[in-house]
């Protein structure tokens, strides 16, 4: 069985589930989903600049309202539960956990513990972070020791 560590920041859409579950053809895939709450990923300024870069000016103005810390935990757990269930419904094995602190360290530990074959980082575009190679996928490539695939999440 092929094991993928899947890092997400929002619930998987049906399109995302189809996308990640068909990456390896007919091979059975097991997912370990790590949910990183968006409010905990980066500071509000970088997120606001990303929003402006994609023309979402209204979203940029709301970045300060994004829950973080303990406030973000409940929505993150709900998103994780929905995503894990969607992967299981699609016929895959899936477990998951919310990552509150040191997400790259946690990712590396999970990869080693599970003997994972790859890491998939499924996020919205973060242009500023990507330009400076500070996004999760770029940083993970130097840390986890397995191939890292970056995919952009779909909106539904």
């Amino acid at each position: 069985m092929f094991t993928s560590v899947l890092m997400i920041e929002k619930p998987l859409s049906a399109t995302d589930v189809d996308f990640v579950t068909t990456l390896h053809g007919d091979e059975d895939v097991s997912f370990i989903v790590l949910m990183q709450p968006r409010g905990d990923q980066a500071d509000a300024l970088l997120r606001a600049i990303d929003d402006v870069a994609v023309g979402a000016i209204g979203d940029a103005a709301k970045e300060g309202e994004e829950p973080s810390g303990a406030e973000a935990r409940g929505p993150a757990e709900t998103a994780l539960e929905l995503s894990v269930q969607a992967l299981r419904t699609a016929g895959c094995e899936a477990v998951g956990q919310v990552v509150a602190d040191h997400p790259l360290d946690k990712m590396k530990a999970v990869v080693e513990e599970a003997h994972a074959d790859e890491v998939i980082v499924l996020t919205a575009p973060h242009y500023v972070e990507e330009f400076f190679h500070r996004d999760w996928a770029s940083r993970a490539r130097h840390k986890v020791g397995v191939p890292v695939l970056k995919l952009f999440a779909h909106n539904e």
Side-chain angles (χ1 to χ4, degrees):
M1 180 168 295
F2 197 86
T3 302
S4 294
V5 174
L6 175 61
M7 184 167 218
I8 61 173
E9 62 188 7
K10 64 178 192 163
L12 294 174
S13 69
T15 304
D16 292 332
V17 171
D18 186 51
F19 196 29
V20 299
T21 58
T22 59
L23 284 172
H24 300 289
D26 293 334
E27 189 168 0
D28 289 334
V29 181
S30 171
F31 289 96
I32 303 167
V33 183
L34 301 179
M35 175 67 190
Q36 174 65 31
R38 185 167 187 245
D40 291 346
Q41 282 185 24
D43 64 50
L45 178 60
L46 281 179
R47 291 192 316 262
I49 292 169
D50 279 337
D51 290 335
V52 171
V54 297
I57 306 299
D59 290 343
K62 296 178 186 173
E63 281 299 342
E65 300 168 11
E66 189 77 35
S68 61
E71 261 183 49
R73 183 93 186 172
E77 288 173 351
T78 301
L80 175 65
E81 186 178 312
L82 291 170
S83 298
V84 167
Q85 186 56 47
L87 291 167
R88 290 177 181 162
T89 300
C92 297
E93 291 183 16
V95 296
Q97 58 187 289
V98 174
V99 180
D101 297 317
H102 310 289
L104 292 174
D105 292 338
K106 183 62 175 178
M107 183 187 294
K108 181 179 181 181
V110 168
V111 165
E112 291 172 354
E113 181 181 307
H115 304 288
D117 298 294
E118 70 180 356
V119 169
I120 300 171
V121 178
L122 185 71
T123 68
H126 298 291
Y127 298 110
V128 174
E129 292 175 41
E130 290 167 24
F131 180 79
F132 291 107
H133 303 285
R134 300 300 301 155
D135 59 300
W136 292 122
S138 296
R139 292 167 57 200
R141 285 186 183 105
H142 301 287
K143 188 151 188 130
V144 298
V146 297
V148 176
L149 178 62
K150 178 173 182 144
L151 301 174
F152 290 125
H154 294 81
N155 291 326
E156 286 187 340

